[in-house]
Amino acid sequence: MHDFDYRQESLYCGDVAVEEIARKVGTPFYCYSLPTLHRHIRAFEEPLAGVDHQTCFAMKANSCLAVLSYMAKQGLGADVVSGGELYRALKAGIPAGKIVYSGVGKTTNEIDMAIGAGIMMFNIESEQELEVIDERAGALGKKAPISIRVNPDVNPMTHPYISTGMKENKFGIDVEGSMTQYLRAKDMDNIEIVGIDCHIGSQLTDLSPFLDAVARLKMLIERLKDHGIVFKYLDLGGGLGITYSDEEPPHPKDYCRAILGAVGPLGLKVIFEPGRVIVGNAGILVTSVLYRKQTRDKTFVIIDAGMSDLIRPSLYGAYHDIKPLRRSNGSPRETVDVVGPICESADFLAKNRELPVLSRGDMIAVMSAGAYGFTMSSNYNSRTRPPEVLVDGSKYYVVLKRQSYEDLVSGETVPAALRGTRG
Ligand code: LLP
Protein backbone atom coordinates (compact mmCIF):
# COMPACT_ATOMS: atom_id res chain seq x y z
CA MET A 1 0.00 0.00 0.00
CA HIS A 2 1.26 3.45 -0.80
CA ASP A 3 0.25 7.04 -0.84
CA PHE A 4 0.53 7.87 -4.56
CA ASP A 5 -2.91 8.13 -6.05
CA TYR A 6 -4.99 10.16 -8.47
CA ARG A 7 -7.33 12.89 -7.34
CA GLN A 8 -9.50 13.80 -10.27
CA GLU A 9 -6.95 13.64 -13.06
CA SER A 10 -3.80 14.50 -11.16
CA LEU A 11 -1.33 12.22 -9.35
CA TYR A 12 -0.95 13.11 -5.69
CA CYS A 13 1.44 12.11 -2.97
CA GLY A 14 -0.62 12.45 0.19
CA ASP A 15 -2.28 15.85 -0.13
CA VAL A 16 0.28 17.34 -2.50
CA ALA A 17 -0.08 17.25 -6.28
CA VAL A 18 3.18 15.79 -7.58
CA GLU A 19 3.09 18.39 -10.38
CA GLU A 20 3.27 21.13 -7.79
CA ILE A 21 6.55 19.72 -6.49
CA ALA A 22 7.81 19.39 -10.06
CA ARG A 23 7.11 23.07 -10.64
CA LYS A 24 9.17 23.89 -7.56
CA VAL A 25 12.20 21.60 -8.01
CA GLY A 26 12.13 20.74 -11.72
CA THR A 27 12.54 17.21 -13.06
CA PRO A 28 13.83 14.60 -12.59
CA PHE A 29 13.40 14.17 -8.83
CA TYR A 30 12.74 11.49 -6.26
CA CYS A 31 9.64 11.84 -4.13
CA TYR A 32 9.11 9.85 -0.92
CA SER A 33 5.97 9.55 1.16
CA LEU A 34 6.56 9.76 4.90
CA PRO A 35 3.16 8.24 5.87
CA THR A 36 3.91 5.25 3.58
CA LEU A 37 7.31 4.82 5.20
CA HIS A 38 5.64 4.97 8.57
CA ARG A 39 3.06 2.34 7.62
CA HIS A 40 5.73 0.02 6.26
CA ILE A 41 7.83 0.34 9.39
CA ARG A 42 4.80 -0.40 11.55
CA ALA A 43 3.75 -3.36 9.35
CA PHE A 44 7.14 -4.86 10.06
CA GLU A 45 7.32 -3.92 13.74
CA GLU A 46 3.80 -4.82 14.85
CA PRO A 47 4.10 -8.60 14.45
CA LEU A 48 7.38 -8.35 16.38
CA ALA A 49 5.83 -6.55 19.35
CA GLY A 50 6.79 -8.41 22.51
CA VAL A 51 9.57 -10.27 20.72
CA ASP A 52 13.17 -9.50 21.67
CA HIS A 53 14.35 -8.09 18.37
CA GLN A 54 16.07 -5.22 16.58
CA THR A 55 15.22 -4.12 13.07
CA CYS A 56 18.32 -2.77 11.35
CA PHE A 57 17.24 -0.99 8.17
CA ALA A 58 19.47 -1.99 5.22
CA MET A 59 20.40 1.52 4.25
CA LYS A 60 21.87 0.56 0.90
CA ALA A 61 18.23 0.66 -0.20
CA ASN A 62 17.83 4.33 0.75
CA SER A 63 20.38 6.34 2.66
CA CYS A 64 18.76 9.77 2.56
CA LEU A 65 19.53 11.45 5.90
CA ALA A 66 15.94 12.60 6.40
CA VAL A 67 14.64 9.07 5.80
CA LEU A 68 17.26 7.59 8.13
CA SER A 69 16.50 10.14 10.82
CA TYR A 70 12.88 9.06 10.73
CA MET A 71 13.99 5.42 11.02
CA ALA A 72 16.04 6.40 14.07
CA LYS A 73 13.03 8.14 15.57
CA GLN A 74 11.00 4.98 15.05
CA GLY A 75 13.61 2.96 16.97
CA LEU A 76 15.21 1.27 13.99
CA GLY A 77 18.89 0.49 13.73
CA ALA A 78 20.92 0.13 10.53
CA ASP A 79 22.69 -2.51 8.50
CA VAL A 80 25.69 -0.76 6.96
CA VAL A 81 28.19 -1.96 4.37
CA SER A 82 30.72 0.88 4.20
CA GLY A 83 32.31 3.64 6.20
CA GLY A 84 30.13 6.10 4.30
CA GLU A 85 26.97 4.31 5.37
CA LEU A 86 28.22 4.16 8.96
CA TYR A 87 28.89 7.89 8.83
CA ARG A 88 25.40 8.60 7.51
CA ALA A 89 23.72 6.29 10.04
CA LEU A 90 25.47 7.98 12.96
CA LYS A 91 24.78 11.43 11.53
CA ALA A 92 21.09 10.54 11.29
CA GLY A 93 21.08 9.71 15.00
CA ILE A 94 21.02 5.92 14.80
CA PRO A 95 22.78 4.71 17.96
CA ALA A 96 25.98 2.75 17.28
CA GLY A 97 24.63 -0.05 19.47
CA LYS A 98 21.89 -0.64 16.87
CA ILE A 99 24.25 -0.88 13.90
CA VAL A 100 25.40 -4.13 12.26
CA TYR A 101 28.18 -4.01 9.70
CA SER A 102 28.00 -6.47 6.76
CA GLY A 103 29.95 -6.68 3.50
CA VAL A 104 32.79 -8.75 2.06
CA GLY A 105 35.32 -5.93 1.68
CA LYS A 106 35.63 -3.92 4.89
CA THR A 107 38.83 -1.85 4.79
CA THR A 108 41.14 -1.30 7.76
CA ASN A 109 39.95 2.29 8.11
CA GLU A 110 36.32 1.22 8.03
CA ILE A 111 36.97 -1.47 10.64
CA ASP A 112 38.71 1.04 12.92
CA MET A 113 35.87 3.49 12.49
CA ALA A 114 33.26 0.87 13.42
CA ILE A 115 35.24 -0.41 16.41
CA GLY A 116 35.69 3.18 17.57
CA ALA A 117 31.97 3.90 17.22
CA GLY A 118 31.04 0.81 19.26
CA ILE A 119 28.70 -0.93 16.82
CA MET A 120 26.49 -3.89 17.77
CA MET A 121 28.45 -6.36 15.65
CA PHE A 122 30.49 -7.06 12.56
CA ASN A 123 29.05 -9.71 10.28
CA ILE A 124 32.24 -11.49 9.26
CA GLU A 125 32.42 -12.70 5.67
CA SER A 126 35.86 -14.39 5.48
CA GLU A 127 38.60 -16.00 7.50
CA GLN A 128 41.01 -13.15 6.78
CA GLU A 129 38.50 -10.50 7.74
CA LEU A 130 38.18 -12.20 11.14
CA GLU A 131 41.95 -12.04 11.61
CA VAL A 132 42.14 -8.39 10.60
CA ILE A 133 39.31 -7.42 12.94
CA ASP A 134 41.01 -9.27 15.82
CA GLU A 135 44.26 -7.46 15.06
CA ARG A 136 42.65 -4.01 14.73
CA ALA A 137 40.61 -4.45 17.92
CA GLY A 138 43.85 -5.40 19.71
CA ALA A 139 45.63 -2.33 18.34
CA LEU A 140 42.78 -0.12 19.54
CA GLY A 141 42.61 -1.80 22.94
CA LYS A 142 39.03 -2.95 22.38
CA LYS A 143 37.09 -6.18 21.93
CA ALA A 144 35.24 -6.44 18.62
CA PRO A 145 31.75 -8.00 18.77
CA ILE A 146 31.26 -10.36 15.84
CA SER A 147 28.94 -12.80 14.19
CA ILE A 148 29.78 -14.94 11.21
CA ARG A 149 27.68 -14.51 8.10
CA VAL A 150 26.84 -18.08 7.23
CA ASN A 151 26.30 -18.92 3.58
CA PRO A 152 23.69 -21.67 3.94
CA ASP A 153 23.66 -22.60 0.22
CA VAL A 154 19.96 -21.98 -0.28
CA ASN A 155 18.52 -20.91 -3.62
CA PRO A 156 16.45 -17.75 -3.01
CA MET A 157 14.85 -18.02 -6.47
CA THR A 158 15.45 -14.41 -7.37
CA HIS A 159 17.53 -12.54 -9.96
CA PRO A 160 21.07 -14.04 -10.03
CA TYR A 161 22.66 -10.64 -9.35
CA ILE A 162 20.81 -10.36 -6.04
CA SER A 163 21.18 -13.97 -4.82
CA THR A 164 23.69 -14.02 -2.00
CA GLY A 165 23.30 -17.27 -0.06
CA MET A 166 24.35 -19.88 -2.64
CA LYS A 167 27.71 -21.55 -2.62
CA GLU A 168 28.86 -19.83 -5.81
CA ASN A 169 28.22 -16.38 -4.29
CA LYS A 170 31.02 -14.33 -2.74
CA PHE A 171 29.07 -13.75 0.46
CA GLY A 172 29.49 -15.35 3.87
CA ILE A 173 31.26 -18.55 4.87
CA ASP A 174 29.82 -22.01 4.24
CA VAL A 175 28.40 -24.01 7.12
CA GLU A 176 31.49 -26.15 7.80
CA GLY A 177 33.80 -23.17 7.37
CA SER A 178 31.68 -21.17 9.81
CA MET A 179 32.04 -23.95 12.36
CA THR A 180 35.85 -23.78 11.99
CA GLN A 181 35.96 -19.98 12.15
CA TYR A 182 33.77 -19.81 15.26
CA LEU A 183 36.14 -22.22 17.01
CA ARG A 184 39.10 -20.04 15.98
CA ALA A 185 37.30 -16.85 16.99
CA LYS A 186 36.65 -18.31 20.44
CA ASP A 187 40.40 -18.33 21.08
CA MET A 188 41.08 -14.87 19.72
CA ASP A 189 42.01 -12.30 22.37
CA ASN A 190 40.18 -9.33 20.92
CA ILE A 191 37.06 -10.93 19.54
CA GLU A 192 33.77 -11.35 21.33
CA ILE A 193 31.40 -13.79 19.65
CA VAL A 194 27.92 -12.32 19.95
CA GLY A 195 25.90 -13.61 17.04
CA ILE A 196 25.25 -15.66 13.95
CA ASP A 197 24.02 -14.17 10.70
CA CYS A 198 22.79 -14.92 7.22
CA HIS A 199 21.29 -12.99 4.31
CA ILE A 200 20.37 -15.10 1.31
CA GLY A 201 19.19 -12.59 -1.27
CA SER A 202 16.82 -9.82 -2.18
CA GLN A 203 13.33 -9.47 -3.66
CA LEU A 204 12.26 -12.93 -2.41
CA THR A 205 8.61 -13.62 -3.02
CA ASP A 206 8.40 -16.99 -1.31
CA LEU A 207 8.94 -17.91 2.33
CA SER A 208 10.49 -21.32 1.87
CA PRO A 209 14.11 -20.23 1.17
CA PHE A 210 14.05 -18.12 4.35
CA LEU A 211 12.78 -21.09 6.33
CA ASP A 212 15.40 -23.43 4.82
CA ALA A 213 18.10 -20.97 5.83
CA VAL A 214 16.76 -20.73 9.39
CA ALA A 215 16.73 -24.53 9.65
CA ARG A 216 20.39 -24.71 8.58
CA LEU A 217 21.40 -22.00 11.01
CA LYS A 218 19.60 -23.74 13.85
CA MET A 219 21.53 -26.94 13.25
CA LEU A 220 24.77 -24.99 13.36
CA ILE A 221 23.71 -23.19 16.54
CA GLU A 222 23.14 -26.59 18.20
CA ARG A 223 26.51 -27.93 17.10
CA LEU A 224 28.29 -24.81 18.34
CA LYS A 225 26.55 -25.05 21.68
CA ASP A 226 28.31 -28.40 22.16
CA HIS A 227 31.56 -26.46 21.86
CA GLY A 228 30.52 -23.93 24.44
CA ILE A 229 29.69 -21.21 21.93
CA VAL A 230 26.46 -19.42 22.69
CA PHE A 231 25.03 -16.34 21.08
CA LYS A 232 23.09 -13.21 21.97
CA TYR A 233 21.91 -12.40 18.43
CA LEU A 234 20.44 -14.28 15.53
CA ASP A 235 20.59 -12.01 12.46
CA LEU A 236 18.37 -13.19 9.61
CA GLY A 237 19.21 -10.43 7.12
CA GLY A 238 16.64 -8.88 4.83
CA GLY A 239 15.31 -9.82 1.43
CA LEU A 240 11.53 -9.72 1.59
CA GLY A 241 10.21 -8.75 -1.83
CA ILE A 242 7.64 -6.17 -2.88
CA THR A 243 5.07 -5.83 -5.66
CA TYR A 244 6.49 -4.05 -8.69
CA SER A 245 3.95 -5.49 -11.09
CA ASP A 246 2.11 -8.73 -10.33
CA GLU A 247 4.41 -10.34 -7.73
CA GLU A 248 2.61 -11.55 -4.62
CA PRO A 249 5.21 -11.56 -1.85
CA PRO A 250 4.18 -12.56 1.67
CA HIS A 251 2.93 -9.73 3.86
CA PRO A 252 5.56 -8.66 6.43
CA LYS A 253 3.28 -9.95 9.16
CA ASP A 254 3.26 -13.46 7.61
CA TYR A 255 6.98 -13.28 6.99
CA CYS A 256 7.71 -12.29 10.61
CA ARG A 257 5.37 -14.91 12.03
CA ALA A 258 6.76 -17.69 9.84
CA ILE A 259 10.33 -16.80 10.73
CA LEU A 260 9.62 -16.53 14.43
CA GLY A 261 7.83 -19.87 14.29
CA ALA A 262 10.82 -21.47 12.57
CA VAL A 263 13.32 -19.91 14.97
CA GLY A 264 11.41 -21.29 17.94
CA PRO A 265 12.45 -20.81 21.54
CA LEU A 266 16.18 -20.25 21.14
CA GLY A 267 16.20 -17.33 23.53
CA LEU A 268 18.15 -15.13 21.11
CA LYS A 269 17.50 -11.53 20.16
CA VAL A 270 16.43 -11.66 16.52
CA ILE A 271 17.90 -9.08 14.15
CA PHE A 272 16.21 -8.25 10.83
CA GLU A 273 17.78 -6.22 8.04
CA PRO A 274 14.89 -5.25 5.74
CA GLY A 275 15.54 -2.66 3.05
CA ARG A 276 13.29 -2.78 0.00
CA VAL A 277 10.10 -3.77 1.84
CA ILE A 278 10.28 -0.61 3.95
CA VAL A 279 11.14 1.97 1.28
CA GLY A 280 10.52 0.45 -2.17
CA ASN A 281 6.90 1.45 -2.62
CA ALA A 282 7.32 4.63 -0.58
CA GLY A 283 9.10 6.43 -3.42
CA ILE A 284 8.74 7.43 -7.05
CA LEU A 285 10.99 9.02 -9.65
CA VAL A 286 9.33 11.91 -11.47
CA THR A 287 10.54 12.78 -14.95
CA SER A 288 9.45 14.84 -17.97
CA VAL A 289 9.04 13.80 -21.55
CA LEU A 290 11.59 15.57 -23.74
CA TYR A 291 10.73 14.10 -27.10
CA ARG A 292 8.61 11.49 -28.78
CA LYS A 293 10.53 9.86 -31.58
CA GLN A 294 9.04 7.52 -34.07
CA THR A 295 11.07 5.23 -36.26
CA ARG A 296 9.77 2.68 -38.72
CA ASP A 297 10.03 -0.03 -36.06
CA LYS A 298 9.44 1.66 -32.76
CA THR A 299 8.22 4.64 -30.85
CA PHE A 300 10.56 6.05 -28.24
CA VAL A 301 9.51 8.32 -25.43
CA ILE A 302 12.68 10.17 -24.47
CA ILE A 303 12.64 11.46 -20.91
CA ASP A 304 14.93 13.59 -18.77
CA ALA A 305 15.79 10.72 -16.38
CA GLY A 306 17.97 7.79 -17.32
CA MET A 307 20.01 4.89 -16.06
CA SER A 308 22.15 7.34 -14.09
CA ASP A 309 19.06 8.12 -11.99
CA LEU A 310 17.48 4.65 -11.83
CA ILE A 311 19.63 1.78 -13.02
CA ARG A 312 17.40 -1.15 -12.03
CA PRO A 313 15.74 -1.68 -15.45
CA SER A 314 19.12 -1.60 -17.22
CA LEU A 315 20.97 -3.74 -14.70
CA TYR A 316 18.40 -6.37 -13.75
CA GLY A 317 15.76 -5.99 -16.44
CA ALA A 318 13.57 -4.80 -13.56
CA TYR A 319 9.98 -3.72 -14.15
CA HIS A 320 8.77 -0.38 -12.77
CA ASP A 321 5.22 0.73 -13.38
CA ILE A 322 4.84 4.12 -15.08
CA LYS A 323 1.99 6.53 -14.40
CA PRO A 324 1.40 9.88 -16.10
CA LEU A 325 1.09 12.74 -13.59
CA ARG A 326 -2.02 13.78 -15.48
CA ARG A 327 -4.29 11.06 -16.64
CA SER A 328 -7.06 11.49 -19.10
CA ASN A 329 -9.57 8.73 -19.32
CA GLY A 330 -10.09 7.32 -22.75
CA SER A 331 -6.98 8.92 -24.26
CA PRO A 332 -5.29 6.83 -26.98
CA ARG A 333 -2.58 4.39 -25.96
CA GLU A 334 0.48 3.09 -27.72
CA THR A 335 3.38 0.73 -27.09
CA VAL A 336 6.67 2.51 -26.55
CA ASP A 337 10.19 2.24 -25.16
CA VAL A 338 10.73 4.81 -22.44
CA VAL A 339 14.38 5.79 -22.74
CA GLY A 340 16.78 8.26 -21.13
CA PRO A 341 19.26 10.75 -22.58
CA ILE A 342 22.35 8.64 -21.85
CA CYS A 343 24.56 7.37 -24.63
CA GLU A 344 23.94 3.66 -24.08
CA SER A 345 21.32 1.41 -25.58
CA ALA A 346 20.89 -0.05 -22.09
CA ASP A 347 19.51 3.32 -21.01
CA PHE A 348 15.82 2.57 -20.69
CA LEU A 349 13.25 2.65 -17.92
CA ALA A 350 10.64 0.56 -19.76
CA LYS A 351 10.55 -1.49 -22.93
CA ASN A 352 7.54 -2.31 -25.07
CA ARG A 353 5.26 -0.67 -22.54
CA GLU A 354 1.70 0.26 -23.35
CA LEU A 355 1.10 3.81 -22.12
CA PRO A 356 -1.21 6.70 -22.95
CA VAL A 357 0.30 8.70 -25.81
CA LEU A 358 2.79 11.08 -24.21
CA SER A 359 3.96 14.40 -25.62
CA ARG A 360 6.81 16.77 -24.96
CA GLY A 361 6.37 18.38 -21.54
CA ASP A 362 4.18 15.64 -20.08
CA MET A 363 5.40 14.28 -16.78
CA ILE A 364 5.41 10.69 -15.60
CA ALA A 365 6.07 8.88 -12.33
CA VAL A 366 8.26 5.79 -12.32
CA MET A 367 6.75 3.83 -9.46
CA SER A 368 8.34 1.70 -6.70
CA ALA A 369 11.59 3.63 -6.92
CA GLY A 370 12.15 4.26 -3.21
CA ALA A 371 14.59 1.36 -2.84
CA TYR A 372 17.86 1.11 -4.79
CA GLY A 373 16.86 4.16 -6.81
CA PHE A 374 18.74 7.23 -5.66
CA THR A 375 21.33 5.13 -3.80
CA MET A 376 22.42 3.50 -7.08
CA SER A 377 22.39 6.74 -9.05
CA SER A 378 25.58 8.11 -10.58
CA ASN A 379 27.03 11.07 -12.41
CA TYR A 380 27.48 9.14 -15.66
CA ASN A 381 27.52 11.42 -18.70
CA SER A 382 28.26 14.19 -16.15
CA ARG A 383 24.62 14.34 -15.27
CA THR A 384 23.79 15.94 -11.95
CA ARG A 385 22.10 13.77 -9.36
CA PRO A 386 18.41 14.55 -8.80
CA PRO A 387 16.89 16.12 -5.70
CA GLU A 388 14.97 14.15 -3.09
CA VAL A 389 11.67 15.40 -1.71
CA LEU A 390 9.85 14.03 1.32
CA VAL A 391 6.08 14.52 1.53
CA ASP A 392 4.19 14.47 4.80
CA GLY A 393 0.45 15.02 4.31
CA SER A 394 0.08 18.51 2.86
CA LYS A 395 3.69 19.52 3.54
CA TYR A 396 6.77 18.69 1.56
CA TYR A 397 10.45 19.14 2.20
CA VAL A 398 13.30 19.26 -0.30
CA VAL A 399 15.66 17.03 1.69
CA LEU A 400 18.38 16.97 -0.96
CA LYS A 401 18.85 19.75 -3.46
CA ARG A 402 19.77 19.05 -7.05
CA GLN A 403 23.50 18.78 -7.60
CA SER A 404 24.97 21.79 -9.39
CA TYR A 405 27.58 21.78 -12.12
CA GLU A 406 30.01 23.20 -9.53
CA ASP A 407 29.26 20.16 -7.32
CA LEU A 408 30.09 17.94 -10.28
CA VAL A 409 33.68 19.16 -10.49
CA SER A 410 34.28 19.90 -6.83
CA GLY A 411 37.40 18.21 -5.58
CA GLU A 412 39.00 18.04 -9.01
CA THR A 413 42.28 19.79 -9.73
CA VAL A 414 44.04 20.33 -13.01
CA PRO A 415 47.86 20.30 -12.68
CA ALA A 416 49.31 23.59 -13.97
CA ALA A 417 51.35 21.77 -16.59
CA LEU A 418 48.16 20.59 -18.25
CA ARG A 419 46.53 23.98 -18.52
CA GLY A 420 46.44 26.30 -21.49
CA THR A 421 45.25 25.87 -25.02
CA ARG A 422 47.09 25.46 -28.26
CA GLY A 423 46.36 28.28 -30.65
N1 LLP B 1 21.26 -7.30 4.44
C1 LLP B 1 22.29 -7.51 3.61
C2 LLP B 1 23.54 -8.04 4.14
C3 LLP B 1 22.16 -7.22 2.24
O1 LLP B 1 23.19 -7.43 1.43
C4 LLP B 1 20.93 -6.69 1.76
C5 LLP B 1 20.77 -6.38 0.34
C6 LLP B 1 19.90 -6.47 2.67
C7 LLP B 1 20.09 -6.79 4.00
C8 LLP B 1 18.57 -5.88 2.27
O2 LLP B 1 17.89 -6.61 1.35
P1 LLP B 1 16.39 -6.16 0.94
O3 LLP B 1 15.53 -6.28 2.19
O4 LLP B 1 16.43 -4.77 0.46
O5 LLP B 1 16.04 -7.11 -0.11
N2 LLP B 1 20.29 -3.36 -5.97
C9 LLP B 1 19.42 -4.52 -5.96
C10 LLP B 1 19.28 -5.12 -4.58
C11 LLP B 1 20.61 -5.47 -3.94
C12 LLP B 1 20.44 -6.02 -2.55
C13 LLP B 1 21.74 -6.18 -1.89
N3 LLP B 1 21.68 -6.57 -0.54
C14 LLP B 1 18.07 -4.13 -6.56
O6 LLP B 1 17.90 -2.98 -6.96
O7 LLP B 1 17.19 -4.98 -6.67
Side-chain angles (χ1 to χ4, degrees):
M1 274 302 294
H2 58 70
D3 221 16
F4 302 98
D5 228 327
Y6 288 100
R7 284 199 197 165
Q8 282 96 34
E9 304 309 323
S10 201
L11 189 73
Y12 272 69
C13 176
D15 295 325
V16 183
V18 178
E19 262 184 326
E20 184 190 326
I21 306 173
R23 274 196 296 274
K24 173 87 186 258
V25 302
T27 57
F29 69 94
Y30 275 94
C31 175
Y32 309 125
S33 155
L34 193 64
T36 307
L37 268 181
H38 181 84
R39 263 200 312 279
H40 291 175
I41 295 170
R42 293 334 311 165
F44 209 88
E45 290 295 294
E46 267 153 27
L48 298 173
V51 175
D52 190 16
H53 79 284
Q54 178 62 51
T55 303
C56 294
F57 174 62
M59 55 179 284
K60 58 178 77 66
N62 189 315
S63 57
C64 171
L65 278 182
V67 167
L68 291 180
S69 300
Y70 191 68
M71 303 275 178
K73 207 168 158 187
Q74 291 292 309
L76 267 56
D79 162 50
V80 305
V81 292
S82 70
E85 285 195 349
L86 178 57
Y87 176 81
R88 275 182 179 276
L90 295 171
K91 202 169 170 68
I94 295 179
K98 291 185 180 178
I99 296 177
V100 296
Y101 192 157
S102 312
V104 295
K106 304 173 186 83
T107 66
T108 308
N109 282 345
E110 289 173 325
I111 290 167
D112 287 1
M113 183 180 169
I115 293 174
I119 62 166
M120 183 199 309
M121 65 182 172
F122 287 97
N123 290 333
I124 303 276
E125 307 234 12
S126 67
E127 182 180 339
Q128 273 191 359
E129 182 194 332
L130 176 63
E131 288 159 10
V132 171
I133 291 182
D134 178 42
E135 181 203 311
R136 292 314 306 159
L140 297 169
K142 298 254 169 80
K143 272 209 169 222
I146 66 111
S147 80
I148 289 182
R149 176 169 176 180
V150 180
N151 180 327
D153 194 25
V154 166
N155 185 349
M157 295 177 290
T158 181
H159 191 284
Y161 290 4
I162 52 178
S163 297
T164 52
M166 292 165 74
K167 61 175 186 292
E168 61 264 41
N169 300 135
K170 68 178 175 181
F171 298 98
I173 305 180
D174 66 23
V175 172
E176 289 316 312
S178 295
M179 185 81 201
T180 312
Q181 295 314 316
Y182 270 122
L183 295 175
R184 286 183 70 216
K186 195 177 164 214
D187 292 333
M188 289 179 168
D189 291 338
N190 313 303
I191 293 289
E192 186 194 0
I193 299 174
V194 294
I196 183 163
D197 165 55
C198 82
H199 168 78
I200 57 172
S202 197
Q203 183 55 14
L204 274 72
T205 51
D206 189 26
L207 285 176
S208 57
F210 289 117
L211 302 181
D212 288 350
V214 171
R216 289 179 197 195
L217 250 58
K218 274 176 74 175
M219 282 194 291
L220 187 55
I221 291 172
E222 286 306 316
R223 285 172 64 196
L224 285 163
K225 207 188 272 172
D226 295 340
H227 292 273
I229 297 178
V230 286
F231 301 114
K232 280 199 262 187
Y233 308 123
L234 169 59
D235 183 343
L236 294 170
L240 185 57
I242 62 168
T243 302
Y244 286 97
S245 111
D246 53 6
E247 304 91 334
E248 290 180 353
H251 189 276
K253 141 174 127 259
D254 299 321
Y255 161 85
C256 290
R257 286 196 187 130
I259 296 242
L260 293 176
V263 168
L266 287 173
L268 302 181
K269 180 169 188 153
V270 188
I271 313 296
F272 292 98
E273 301 171 358
R276 187 186 321 259
V277 70
I278 307 283
V279 286
N281 278 320
I284 59 175
L285 171 66
V286 181
T287 160
S288 299
V289 174
L290 294 175
Y291 304 105
R292 182 169 168 281
K293 168 171 166 176
Q294 224 157 352
T295 68
R296 269 159 62 140
D297 303 304
K298 272 196 169 284
T299 303
F300 297 98
V301 170
I302 303 170
I303 54 175
D304 65 0
M307 65 191 287
S308 58
D309 305 295
L310 178 65
I311 202 175
R312 301 193 70 258
S314 311
L315 190 57
Y316 315 113
Y319 177 96
H320 285 262
D321 195 13
I322 289 181
K323 290 186 193 295
L325 293 200
R326 229 177 248 194
R327 79 174 163 189
S328 51
N329 284 329
S331 64
R333 298 173 74 82
E334 62 179 348
T335 299
V336 297
D337 281 7
V338 180
V339 301
I342 288 173
C343 304
E344 299 256 356
S345 292
D347 180 29
F348 59 87
L349 292 187
K351 282 219 154 165
N352 298 319
R353 188 73 60 86
E354 194 195 293
L355 291 172
V357 173
L358 293 163
S359 321
R360 177 169 167 79
D362 286 348
M363 286 186 272
I364 55 176
V366 183
M367 307 303 290
S368 312
Y372 307 108
F374 185 88
T375 51
M376 294 182 80
S377 68
S378 75
N379 290 121
Y380 188 38
N381 277 198
S382 283
R383 288 168 52 76
T384 53
R385 302 222 293 176
E388 295 180 292
V389 176
L390 187 62
V391 180
D392 184 13
S394 58
K395 294 195 294 278
Y396 67 89
Y397 310 95
V398 180
V399 292
L400 174 70
K401 63 182 185 3
R402 189 180 304 282
Q403 257 190 334
S404 66
Y405 291 144
E406 291 77 41
D407 293 335
L408 267 186
V409 294
S410 82
E412 291 193 40
T413 47
V414 180
L418 305 186
R419 287 198 213 118
T421 43
R422 205 175 248 194

